[in-house]
Amino acid sequence: MGRRGWAAVAAVVAGLWGAPEAAAHGIWGHVHVTGWAVENLPDGELRTFLSDPEVFNALLFGAAFTDSGYWPQGGELAAKAHAYGEHTHWEPFIEDFVQWLADNDPPPWTSLESKKRVAFLMGCASHGLQDEIFDSLFLYQADENDGAGQGEADPGTDGFLALDGHLRFVPEPWYPVDTLLELYAMAGLDTTADVMAQSVDIMTFLYVNGELGREIARTNGHEYLDVIPWTAAHYMDPDIPGALRAEIFPTARYLEALWARLHGDYGSDVLVTHAYPEPPRRLRSHEAGTVDGWVTLIFGVGAKSGSATTSWVDADQTPVTYQTKATRWGNSQDWGRLMRLQPTQTLAPGGWYTVRLEPGVERIDGVPFEGDFELSFQVACDATNPDGCPPLDPPVATIDPPAVAEPTPDVTESDAITEDLPPSPDPGPEPTPDTSDPDPDPDASLPEPAVEAPSTSPPRDDGGCTGGLPSPWWLSALGLLLRRRNG
C-alpha cells in the first residue's frame, strides 16, 4: 500500500478511536532512545557485543516488548497480559533475569540465541529506566508548560519523532519464550506462551511496524502539535531532563551498569550512573516549586525506597531544605532507579551547590552501597547576574544519521473512508526459530505505592504506561477495532 493509503487507514483508525495512543513514553521513543544509547556507547566489549544485527534487533524488540501487555484485549487475556507487562517494567524482573542468567547461561555467551536473550533483557531494562525518567521528570514539564499530562505527552512525542523524521529503527519480533515463562512463574504470574504471543501480535500488527505504525505516529503528531506546543518544541531538547535526547546518556550508562552486573563486576562502591543537572550543565532554575529546580540521581541498579541518606549544601556549607522523592509511580516492591531532590527554598541564581549521597543505600542485588557520591553544580543565573554564567559546551548525544522529515499527505475523513484499499492479505506461515546456530537455545523466536500524578493526569498503577492502537488493513482493522471497542 502506498503512503497515502496508509495515511488513510490511520485517519480511519483515529476517527474510530479518537486520538490513538502509543504505549508509554511512546514505543517508538523507547526503541529509538535505546538504539541511540548503543550508538553513543564508547568503543569496547559491550558495544561490540551489541553490534551484531540480530543481537541489536533483540535489544530493540525488548524495548518494545515491555509494553506489549498493555494493548487492547478482552477479559481474562487482558488481565494476564497487563500483569506480565507491568512486572517487566521494574527492577525486580531485571534482577531475576540477571540471576537466571548467572545460574543457567553465564558469560561468556557464545551462541546467537544466548546473545539475543541477553540483549533482550537489556532492551526491557532500558524501557523501564526510560519510563521512570520520562514520567518522573518530563511529564511534570508537560504539566507546567502545556497544562497536559501523560495522555497527551506519550502519543504526542511518538508522533513528533515521526513528523521530524527520526524513525529509523523497526525491530522484528523476537523474545525468549521459555525463559520469560520461567521468570514470570517465579513471580507468581499466570502467563502463558499464548498470552504473550497474542499480546505481541497485537502490538506489532497495530503499531510496531514500518507501515501503519509509522502513519499512526504521524497522525498523533499532527493531532498534538497545537495541543502541547512546548512539548513539541522541547521533547528532544538535551538540556531538558527527561526529554528523549536527554535520556540517551542515562540509558547508555545503565546498559554499562547492567553489563557489569551480568559479569558479577558491579561493585559496592557504585550506584549513581547519571545525574540531572549533568555536569557541566547548570540547574535550570533557582525557584522552588518547579521541576527545573530539581536534582535527580539515576541508579545503575534498583535501590530500596527510603534507604538513602542525602544532603544538600551551598558553597558555604549551609544546608538547603528539600524533599526527597523516589521514582514517580512506585511499584509493588519499592525498588526504583532514580531519586529526586526537590528544594523547598529559593536558591541563589548563579550559586554553587553540592548534593551528596551517603553510604548504606540498599540495592536489589543484595550488595549495599558502601561508597559515596557527590554532585557539584551551578544554578542558572538570572537578570541580576547575567555575567556569572558564561556559555557552556556540554556533551550532546548523537542521533546520526540526521533526521529527514517527509511531507505528509493531507487526508480528510472523507478521503479516508472512500480510499480504495486492498483486502487483508494472507499473513503466511508463522515465523520459526533460527536453528542455524550450532548450539541453539530452547527459547523460540515468536513473531503501587502512592502515585504522584500531575493535576491533569489520573493516578496509574501500570508503570506510567498507556496503550491502545489499531490495525493495518481495511476490513481486518475495522473488525478488530470494533470487536475490541465493544468488548
Side-chain angles (χ1 to χ4, degrees), residues 470-482:
S471 128
W473 299 96
W474 175 257
L475 293 177
S476 56
L478 289 179
L480 176 63
L481 290 171
L482 290 174

Side-chain angles (χ1 to χ4, degrees), residues 25-40 56 59-64 123 126-127 130 157-158 161-162 164-171 207-210 213-214 217 235-236 244-245 247-249 251-252 255 397-401 403:
H25 171 292
I27 288 183
W28 288 121
H30 284 301
V31 168
H32 283 76
V33 171
T34 301
W36 291 327
V38 172
E39 294 178 341
N40 281 269
F56 185 61
L59 171 93
L60 297 182
F61 196 75
S126 297
H127 180 125
Q130 292 156 20
T157 51
D158 250 17
L161 281 171
D164 293 340
H166 291 301
L167 300 188
R168 60 184 175 92
F169 301 125
V170 184
Y207 198 61
V208 182
N209 60 70
R214 197 180 296 260
Y235 80 104
M236 286 289 284
L244 300 191
R245 197 161 187 171
E247 289 181 346
I248 296 174
F249 285 148
T251 300
L255 288 173
T398 60
I399 54 173
D400 293 332

Side-chain angles (χ1 to χ4, degrees), residues 47-344:
R47 185 160 182 173
T48 299
F49 177 83
L50 295 171
S51 64
D52 180 286
E54 289 195 54
V55 176
F56 185 61
N57 178 80
L59 171 93
L60 297 182
F61 196 75
F65 173 89
T66 308
D67 273 347
S68 61
Y70 295 141
W71 290 76
Q73 303 183 59
E76 185 178 353
L77 179 62
K80 292 181 178 180
H82 184 281
Y84 88 70
E86 173 68 12
H87 181 61
T88 306
H89 277 75
W90 298 103
E91 266 280 328
F93 169 79
I94 302 304
E95 180 60 19
D96 283 348
F97 209 148
V98 169
Q99 293 303 317
W100 187 96
L101 287 166
D103 294 338
N104 297 279
D105 190 13
W109 302 286
T110 56
S111 76
L112 179 60
E113 292 295 306
S114 291
K115 293 176 182 178
K116 287 161 65 175
R117 179 166 46 207
V118 171
F120 176 86
L121 160 65
M122 290 186 163
C124 295
S126 297
H127 180 125
L129 175 73
Q130 292 156 20
D131 271 349
E132 290 194 51
I133 294 172
F134 187 83
D135 293 1
S136 298
L137 299 175
F138 195 79
L139 283 187
Y140 288 94
Q141 294 279 7
D143 187 38
E144 285 186 13
N145 294 284
D146 283 327
Q150 188 159 43
E152 298 84 11
D154 286 354
T157 51
D158 250 17
F160 305 148
L161 281 171
L163 293 181
D164 293 340
H166 291 301
L167 300 188
R168 60 184 175 92
F169 301 125
V170 184
E172 293 294 323
W174 187 90
Y175 56 101
V177 179
D178 292 342
T179 301
L180 290 175
L181 289 175
E182 189 171 338
L183 290 169
Y184 293 146
M186 288 167 51
L189 301 180
D190 184 16
T191 305
T192 66
D194 186 59
V195 167
M196 288 190 288
Q198 291 192 55
S199 301
V200 167
D201 285 348
I202 291 170
M203 179 183 72
T204 54
F205 184 59
L206 306 182
Y207 198 61
V208 182
N209 60 70
E211 291 82 28
L212 181 64
R214 197 180 296 260
E215 290 304 329
I216 291 290
R218 294 178 68 87
T219 299
N220 279 336
H222 287 296
E223 175 73 20
Y224 289 106
L225 275 173
D226 294 331
V227 177
I228 47 175
W230 182 91
T231 298
H234 294 281
Y235 80 104
M236 286 289 284
D237 189 336
D239 293 325
I240 306 290
L244 300 191
R245 197 161 187 171
E247 289 181 346
I248 296 174
F249 285 148
T251 300
R253 301 295 85 78
Y254 182 55
L255 288 173
E256 292 178 314
L258 186 53
W259 184 254
R261 290 165 65 184
L262 287 163
H263 287 80
D265 293 333
Y266 199 63
S268 62
D269 59 335
V270 291
L271 180 60
V272 179
T273 56
H274 191 87
Y276 299 116
E278 173 194 4
R281 287 185 169 88
R282 301 182 176 99
L283 192 66
R284 291 172 53 81
S285 176
H286 64 278
E287 297 179 355
T290 171
V291 64
D292 282 332
W294 298 354
V295 172
T296 304
L297 307 182
I298 310 295
F299 304 145
V301 61
K304 186 73 171 178
S305 177
S307 70
T309 300
T310 58
S311 61
W312 186 341
V313 297
D314 65 15
D316 296 324
Q317 300 301 303
T318 302
V320 172
T321 59
Y322 63 97
Q323 295 179 329
T324 301
K325 302 282 187 181
T327 191
R328 173 179 177 178
W329 299 112
N331 67 85
S332 60
Q333 298 185 42
D334 281 326
W335 297 103
R337 286 165 282 207
L338 64 80
M339 172 185 294
R340 297 166 291 164
L341 283 66
Q342 304 174 3
T344 56

